[in-house]
Amino acid sequence: MADRETVLKTFEERFGAAPELLARAPGRVNLIGEHTDYNDGFVLPAAINRAIFIAARPRPDRAINLYSSDFEEQATFNYDNLRNDNLPGWTRYIRGALWWLSEQGHTVPGFDAVVGGNIPIASGLSSSAAIEVVTLEMALTLAGVPMEQRDKALAGVEVEHQFIGMPCGVMDQMASAMGVAGHALLIDCRSLETKPIPVPQGISMVIMNTKKARGLVDSEYAQRREQCEQAARILGVKALRDANLELLEGTKDKLDDVLYRRARHIITENRRVQVVSTILSTSGSSMSAQHGLRTTGQAMRDSHASLRDDYEVSCTELDVMADLANAQPGCFGARMTGAGFGGCAVALVEHDKVDDFVSAVAPAYEQKTGLTPELYVCEAAAGSGVEQL
Ligand code: GLA
């Protein structure tokens, strides 16, 4: 996996000159608020210190020469064949972002570029959102078009909806474009207002990659979204964000068991995000910080149980990982993160206990599942941007 230096060096090797710019867009880990974004609800993700980078230099013509340092492959195309699916799969999100810009009437010049990064792919850490956002960062700079970070995020969502065909919410792209170092980002997915919430001092975010491939995620995701919309219609609200438990209980006989449980997850999860955000933004002294962390940890465990039992998007590997993590000393709470069906879990662990945590969880997980996990101790990073070189 490539970092900033590798991408810069590879550009010089491939194209025989230095790039003019380096764009960067981070992945994200969601601390709490899962599957709530497409219900107009609340989420609390953090951008992480793993990112996708693109080093680029404009060309006088409209050709696009792209080299992937992760796939070690070159692709050459132009603005007239962005929809050509015979091109390598790793170009898809890049082509999608360029397509969206041309649909909006922006003229981006041709360019030589190297793309690479260190976000594990298809693991629930939003490498796709990061590729969309990093491409937008690069292309907007080449085109000389200024754009708000929020609008870049929304453009990434449009790429997913219109080019990729994934009916995602706004969380991943918002976190990647608008992250704040040292903070998670409370996002109101209806108003799109954001509020940075400090990650408590002395706490590490540990991401635990189960290495279970996320097989069913696309079809199941779309189905969950439809179920939520159906439940909202029956409850008579615009979106499940507007429902509460009293309304749900009062309408129980009109909902089948599945729709009832889907709605219950969204309603309780939105509440958990609000509780955690409030407590983490107000717990100042060390006494109340401990209390805040314990409350947050409990909310994370409750979130996992709700995703497993009511929303049914967990899997054995994620359950095993979360249980092992939750049993370790110094772990305040752990849960699956992202869409589910495999991918990653996240834990908040006391800084001093992180080494012991990693050495206990990794072998125990491998012993129980036969899969070798990867654990990453992450920091909350700033959102995407461009360096002019
Ligand atoms: C994926 C989607 C997000 C969000 C999460 C689940 O990451 O892209 O919009 O719905 O799943 O919380």
Side-chain angles (χ1 to χ4, degrees):
M1 285 199 285
D3 58 11
R4 177 183 183 279
E5 309 317 316
T6 321
V7 169
L8 287 173
K9 193 163 145 268
T10 309
F11 186 97
E12 299 228 17
E13 284 165 9
R14 300 290 310 178
F15 298 109
E20 279 188 14
L21 64 89
L22 181 79
R24 170 192 146 275
R28 65 99 187 92
V29 62
N30 188 17
L31 296 183
I32 197 157
E34 218 64 83
H35 289 275
T36 42
D37 62 350
Y38 53 84
N39 288 291
D40 278 4
F42 298 91
V43 292
L44 189 63
I48 55 173
N49 54 335
R50 284 173 174 264
I52 308 282
F53 301 93
I54 298 187
R57 187 182 58 185
R59 294 176 53 89
D61 55 22
R62 299 266 291 156
I64 298 166
N65 293 320
L66 200 57
Y67 180 79
S68 163
S69 55
D70 296 322
F71 292 90
E72 297 184 351
E73 191 178 12
Q74 166 103 22
T76 297
F77 50 98
N78 59 52
Y79 290 93
D80 299 324
N81 66 351
L82 293 172
R83 285 247 184 217
N84 176 2
D85 280 330
N86 295 324
L87 288 160
W90 57 265
T91 63
R92 203 158 152 244
Y93 293 95
I94 299 175
R95 287 186 282 118
L98 296 171
W99 169 84
W100 185 86
L101 287 170
S102 61
E103 288 289 291
Q104 304 308 302
H106 298 304
T107 306
V108 183
F111 56 87
D112 297 331
V114 171
V115 58
N118 51 15
I119 310 172
I121 292 170
S123 302
L125 300 178
S126 296
S127 59
S128 347
I131 299 178
E132 291 149 12
V133 173
V134 78
T135 306
L136 291 162
E137 290 281 8
M138 172 204 65
L140 287 164
T141 304
L142 291 178
V145 175
M147 191 180 276
E148 300 280 334
Q149 293 305 99
R150 186 178 278 106
D151 292 332
K152 292 175 192 165
L154 297 179
V157 175
E158 288 308 315
V159 173
E160 291 280 352
H161 290 186
Q162 298 182 37
F163 194 88
I164 305 293
M166 159 74 175
C168 67
V170 296
M171 168 170 73
D172 306 344
Q173 291 80 1
M174 292 270 293
S176 183
M178 301 185 71
V180 177
H183 293 71
L185 206 60
L186 171 63
I187 307 171
D188 177 334
C189 298
R190 172 171 280 166
S191 69
L192 300 182
E193 268 175 305
T194 58
K195 181 180 175 199
I197 307 284
V199 174
Q201 299 226 324
I203 294 301
S204 297
M205 300 188 300
V206 184
I207 296 175
M208 301 164 286
N209 189 344
T210 62
K211 290 301 194 78
K212 165 84 192 327
R214 297 185 313 157
L216 291 168
V217 70
D218 288 355
S219 56
E220 293 284 337
Y221 187 95
Q223 190 204 52
R224 293 299 179 285
R225 190 167 178 155
E226 274 164 30
Q227 288 168 337
C228 288
E229 284 162 10
Q230 211 183 332
R233 274 196 298 277
I234 296 171
L235 293 174
V237 290
K238 183 163 176 262
L240 285 180
R241 181 243 180 83
D242 304 307
N244 58 30
L245 285 178
E246 286 97 81
L247 176 65
L248 181 68
E249 292 308 322
T251 321
K252 197 172 177 181
D253 53 353
K254 293 197 189 134
L255 294 160
D256 68 24
D257 175 57
V258 169
L259 290 191
Y260 170 78
R261 285 184 294 115
R262 301 295 188 253
R264 184 166 62 181
H265 166 72
I266 301 301
I267 293 168
T268 57
E269 185 78 351
N270 271 328
R271 183 83 200 113
R272 284 186 282 272
V273 179
Q274 285 171 305
V275 167
V276 167
S277 306
T278 306
I279 207 147
L280 290 184
S281 47
T282 51
S283 50
S285 71
S286 58
M287 268 293 282
S288 61
Q290 281 292 315
H291 169 69
L293 280 164
R294 276 198 298 276
T295 307
T296 301
Q298 186 57 48
M300 289 173 80
R301 285 189 291 277
D302 292 346
S303 167
H304 185 91
S306 177
L307 287 157
R308 182 191 59 210
D309 302 334
D310 275 355
Y311 217 64
E312 296 178 284
V313 292
S314 188
C315 61
T316 311
E317 291 80 1
L318 283 168
D319 294 345
V320 167
M321 191 67 99
D323 285 349
L324 283 169
N326 276 314
Q328 301 308 312
C331 174
F332 283 99
R335 58 182 286 277
M336 57 157 276
T337 186
F341 301 102
C344 292
V346 59
L348 294 183
V349 182
E350 249 172 74
H351 196 60
D352 300 346
K353 303 268 171 57
V354 164
D355 291 346
D356 292 348
F357 177 91
V358 172
S359 8
V361 169
Y365 174 80
E366 180 157 358
Q367 204 235 324
K368 278 185 189 269
T369 62
L371 295 170
T372 308
E374 276 175 15
L375 273 63
Y376 325 106
V377 182
C378 280
E379 276 157 34
S384 61
V386 171
E387 275 176 68
Q388 298 280 359
L389 301 169

